[in-house]
Amino acid sequence: MKILLMGHPNVGKSVFFNRLTGAKVFESNYPGTTVDFMKGWMRLEREDVELIDVPGAFSLEPKDRAEEVAVKMLEENRDSVVVCVLDASKVERGLYLALEIIERGYPVVVALNMWDVAEDKNIRIDVEKLERILGVPVVPTIAISGEGFKELVSKIKDAAPVKIEKIIESVGAVSAAASTGEAQAQGGGESAAVS
Amino acid sequence: MKRKLKEVVKVPLSVDERWDLIEKISKQTVEFGAYKHTLKDAIAELTVKPLTGIPVAIAVIYGFWSFFCDFAGTLFTDGFMVKIFDEHWLPWLQSFFLGGLGNPFYALMVDAGHIEDGVLVASDNCFEAFGVLTSGLFIVFGVVLWAVLAFYLIFAILEDIGYLPRLAVLVDTVLHKIGLHGYAIVPTFLSLGCNVPGVTATRPLETRKQRFMMMTLLAIFVPCGAQIGIMQELVPELMGWIFLTLAIGYLGFGFILNKIVLGKSPELIMDVPPYQMPTLRNIGRKLWIRTSRFLLVAVPFVLLGSIIVGLMYLTGAMDWLAAVFGPLLMVWFGVPSETVAPLIAGFLRKDLAVGVLGGLMAQGIMTTFQVFTSVVLLCIYFPCLATFALMLKEENWKEILGSFASLVAMVFVYGGLIHLIGIMLGVA
């Protein structure tokens, strides 16, 4: 098993990589720091697992060299778990890539990184509900300070492939439940902010 | 009722279907509260809006430059290193090293000496001595190391704060005129440290045209930190003119390349990340990685290069080359035939090349304008070996040939133009 770190440019993949492997990868506050992939080893359940820092990609239809490398990495490592790092303040954009990876049949763990930035922007994400809809583990993280990493690592083993039909179905189901539940609970208290 | 939802789903989804699904998901899970305008936002806006952003950019670059000169040049190189190398290291080696003045091995390792009134005399500084253990070590550890350290320190801070993408937004309009995107500022800035990571940073550019242009311009017009450090030590009074000449070349030839290279320069949409407080840990680590990488490449290349140049002088190969290329150099570029030596060294490393030039200057055979022309020529005539090797890896042979052809054309046109302007001003 291998673990691939994927996500948009500048969402903090390299910070994840450094935290998880103790390796030396450049972290910079601008997109495109990692244009080549990087490999390292991390401890998972008393086993050494290979972790690959994949260059930032917006989607799996490559538009530049970095994205080409990203797609190639994904295709060459069919047996891997993908940790998809999302910018929590721009969830929708990140979900596009996450869904594409899920559709291709990879087990995925979603990290909602920059959770603090999202909080600053007054964006609240219902992590549990997102987890229920996607059917994959979702963990809020703040990579720079290391928050959420323990949980993230512990959830890697829970990742399993999900059929996209299932997600479409559960979105419908949740929305149906919400519309009935909202009348009772007035939809309040849903946004359990985790930090 | 649930049955109805189970329509047939085709995998993979189309782009629209996927966005549709995302919208549904986010409606369920994400709540956007009222947007607060924070201090961070205010600062972010001030640095991007042209009216306030341009003065801020000028201040940042000026601050960068001042720190670079004061920390690297004045404090470390002039304050400590020149004294250590010229007053202690050189005399100490001269006093005990085997051979003595006139011996070929001594000349190669310590001091080649120079002719004064027909007599071979010992050198009194490490630029002039031109031995592996004197000039070679002085270039790397006396001058360039501090320049690189100072550059990467400031660069890492700017990087981690998130200032670079804002600078990219500011210069976007100008760079679009030459077919590049504001993002080009990132590879350009990186190249001011070392051209090698600069070339790597061209990968996010979308079309072959943009990458080709960017690489060619970087390799030709952007001097690396090592080179800048040693130029600043050697000809501080000319730095303004040198940078101006290079910047004009960068923009001017970018404009021409954009017109003649086939292909498109599409808009590149870049995220402007939020400002962040840099962490000491990350700055320290980056500084360490980059500086150690620099030393790993620089030390062997500079030492090897000074051996090669030394041997070429000793065997007379340099005189032969000077005789062959001298007329071209003198007539077209207006520089003395001896300039062939730094140009040879420049194939290996640019800092070494400027160092060799320093040795020539010390002999007093060049006018100020010739020094200026030579320094500019050293920047533009060829990328150093490490950059060239990387370009070979990055591009196919066709593009390399194209790069090379434009390089040769630019060197002759621009070098000749500088000479011509010099003649018209009456300084050449």
Side-chain angles (χ1 to χ4, degrees):
Chain A
M1 187 183 89
K2 281 177 191 164
I3 299 169
L4 300 185
L5 270 174
M6 295 188 73
H8 284 192
N10 205 43
V11 291
K13 292 178 296 302
S14 298
V15 189
F16 269 70
F17 186 80
N18 284 339
R19 286 237 169 236
L20 293 171
T21 64
K24 300 172 189 164
V25 177
F26 275 40
E27 305 163 3
S28 306
N29 191 10
Y30 61 81
T33 312
T34 312
V35 283
D36 241 334
F37 65 89
M38 284 286 194
K39 286 184 182 185
W41 296 90
M42 64 174 278
R43 291 294 279 183
L44 189 70
E45 316 257 299
R46 266 168 280 139
E47 241 183 289
D48 281 329
V49 184
E50 198 175 336
L51 182 73
I52 303 177
D53 184 14
V54 179
F58 286 104
S59 82
L60 298 180
E61 294 114 42
K63 291 212 178 56
D64 60 41
R65 275 285 296 274
E67 286 186 345
E68 274 170 34
V69 177
V71 174
K72 217 176 118 212
M73 292 314 304
L74 195 62
E75 279 163 2
E76 279 173 3
N77 297 287
R78 291 242 60 122
D79 61 333
S80 29
V81 175
V82 178
V83 174
C84 193
V85 186
L86 269 57
D87 177 345
S89 67
K90 297 167 188 146
V91 193
E92 282 134 327
R93 287 171 51 178
L95 277 177
Y96 189 89
L97 180 70
L99 285 179
E100 273 191 306
I101 300 168
I102 290 173
E103 277 172 47
R104 292 198 179 197
Y106 290 86
V108 169
V109 178
V110 172
L112 293 176
N113 195 34
M114 307 207 209
W115 188 258
D116 51 336
V117 177
E119 277 183 338
D120 282 351
K121 290 189 179 165
N122 228 342
I123 297 168
R124 278 184 294 272
I125 303 164
D126 186 339
V127 176
E128 272 172 44
K129 209 187 227 177
L130 190 58
E131 217 165 36
R132 246 182 298 144
I133 293 174
L134 294 176
V136 305
V138 178
V139 185
T141 56
I142 306 171
I144 290 185
S145 60
E147 275 169 72
F149 272 77
K150 257 202 163 145
E151 199 189 343
L152 181 84
V153 171
S154 72
K155 293 242 169 123
I156 288 176
K157 64 175 192 312
D158 299 339
V162 181
K163 286 253 181 291
I164 195 78
E165 296 91 326
K166 195 96 180 149
I167 297 176
I168 295 174
E169 197 184 320
S170 48
V171 144
V174 171
S175 76
S179 57
T180 49
E182 223 165 332
Q184 300 163 338
Q186 290 165 332
E190 286 280 350
S191 37
V194 185
S195 59
Chain B
M1 191 185 148
K2 263 186 194 167
R3 291 279 167 269
K4 242 199 292 178
L5 292 159
K6 265 203 175 169
E7 300 157 37
V8 188
V9 183
K10 257 192 258 159
V11 180
L13 300 177
S14 73
V15 175
D16 287 341
E17 283 171 325
R18 212 174 279 129
W19 281 120
D20 215 42
L21 180 57
I22 289 166
E23 205 195 313
K24 280 183 195 154
I25 295 174
S26 90
K27 241 188 208 155
Q28 304 290 329
T29 54
V30 188
E31 197 186 305
F32 294 90
Y35 180 69
K36 281 178 296 182
H37 206 77
T38 60
L39 179 66
K40 237 187 201 176
D41 294 321
I43 296 171
E45 271 163 27
L46 282 180
T47 48
V48 172
K49 282 184 182 153
L51 194 67
T52 44
I54 291 170
V56 170
I58 292 170
V60 167
I61 290 168
Y62 182 77
F64 199 149
W65 178 245
S66 311
F67 178 81
F68 182 82
C69 295
D70 289 344
F71 174 85
T74 311
L75 183 63
F76 278 92
T77 300
D78 293 339
F80 296 108
M81 292 301 153
V82 168
K83 285 174 193 147
I84 293 172
F85 272 90
D86 288 353
E87 286 165 25
H88 300 280
W89 181 242
L90 180 67
W92 183 69
L93 279 178
Q94 280 169 334
S95 69
F96 98 104
F97 204 85
L98 292 175
L101 211 58
N103 177 302
F105 185 65
Y106 176 86
L108 198 58
M109 299 312 280
V110 181
D111 183 10
H114 57 282
I115 309 284
E116 223 166 81
D117 302 327
V119 190
L120 190 65
V121 293
S123 312
D124 56 9
N125 68 65
C126 279
F127 264 130
E128 241 175 286
F130 226 78
V132 176
L133 296 177
T134 49
S135 300
L137 289 180
F138 175 65
I139 288 170
V140 179
F141 294 103
V143 184
V144 170
L145 174 63
W146 310 105
V148 169
L149 206 63
F151 178 86
Y152 280 140
L153 177 63
I154 303 287
F155 190 75
I157 293 172
L158 286 182
E159 252 186 346
D160 284 11
I161 289 175
Y163 182 68
L164 290 181
R166 273 140 188 122
L167 197 58
V169 172
L170 264 182
V171 296
D172 194 52
T173 340
V174 181
L175 289 174
H176 262 298
K177 294 214 162 60
I178 63 164
L180 288 172
H181 181 267
Y183 174 80
I185 205 74
V186 173
T188 306
F189 245 81
L190 262 173
S191 290
L192 286 171
C194 172
N195 283 1
V196 171
V199 168
T200 325
T202 61
R203 286 183 193 158
L205 296 173
E206 284 184 21
T207 61
R208 303 195 82 95
K209 174 183 177 168
Q210 284 181 312
R211 298 194 57 210
F212 169 79
M213 279 185 56
M214 189 76 250
M215 265 187 222
T216 310
L217 290 178
L218 288 184
I220 300 175
F221 290 109
V222 183
C224 69
Q227 198 181 352
I228 298 171
I230 202 146
M231 291 193 300
Q232 168 66 16
E233 184 60 28
L234 213 54
V235 286
E237 71 283 0
L238 292 177
M239 290 311 277
W241 291 107
I242 291 165
F243 274 119
L244 186 68
T245 312
L246 292 175
I248 293 171
Y250 179 98
L251 294 174
F253 282 95
F255 185 78
I256 295 169
L257 275 182
N258 186 32
K259 289 274 183 284
I260 59 174
V261 177
L262 299 174
K264 286 183 195 151
S265 309
E267 185 63 42
L268 182 134
I269 297 151
M270 188 175 68
D271 265 326
V272 177
Y275 275 131
Q276 261 158 16
M277 201 57 196
T279 61
L280 204 61
R281 184 182 62 98
N282 197 38
I283 301 271
R285 201 178 48 210
K286 276 205 235 198
L287 203 56
W288 164 243
I289 300 172
R290 281 175 170 153
T291 311
S292 56
R293 266 187 208 166
F294 159 78
L295 285 177
L296 228 56
V297 178
V299 175
F301 268 111
V302 169
L303 296 188
L304 183 73
S306 36
I307 292 179
I308 292 173
V309 173
L311 281 176
M312 287 176 79
Y313 269 124
L314 284 176
T315 54
M318 204 61 93
D319 292 336
W320 183 79
L321 284 173
V324 172
F325 291 102
L328 173 75
L329 290 173
M330 279 188 283
V331 174
W332 190 265
F333 299 109
V335 293
S337 58
E338 285 86 348
T339 320
V340 91
L343 287 171
I344 294 285
F347 280 106
L348 280 168
R349 275 197 70 86
K350 295 297 178 78
D351 43 5
L352 177 69
V354 182
V356 178
L357 189 68
L360 294 180
M361 282 168 61
Q363 294 173 28
I365 53 168
M366 295 173 105
T367 65
T368 311
F369 192 75
Q370 283 177 332
V371 171
F372 165 76
T373 313
S374 318
V375 173
V376 174
L377 274 183
L378 280 182
C379 291
I380 67 178
Y381 85 106
F382 188 79
C384 70
L385 197 63
T387 310
F388 187 66
L390 183 69
M391 286 173 75
L392 279 179
K393 221 180 83 190
E394 289 285 306
E395 298 188 90
N396 59 35
W397 63 271
K398 247 186 183 165
E399 281 162 337
I400 285 291
L401 276 181
S403 240
F404 210 75
S406 29
L407 193 146
V408 173
M410 279 187 217
V411 170
F412 275 90
V413 173
Y414 209 42
L417 203 63
I418 291 169
H419 187 199
L420 189 69
I421 292 171
I423 292 171
M424 291 196 301
L425 292 177
V427 284

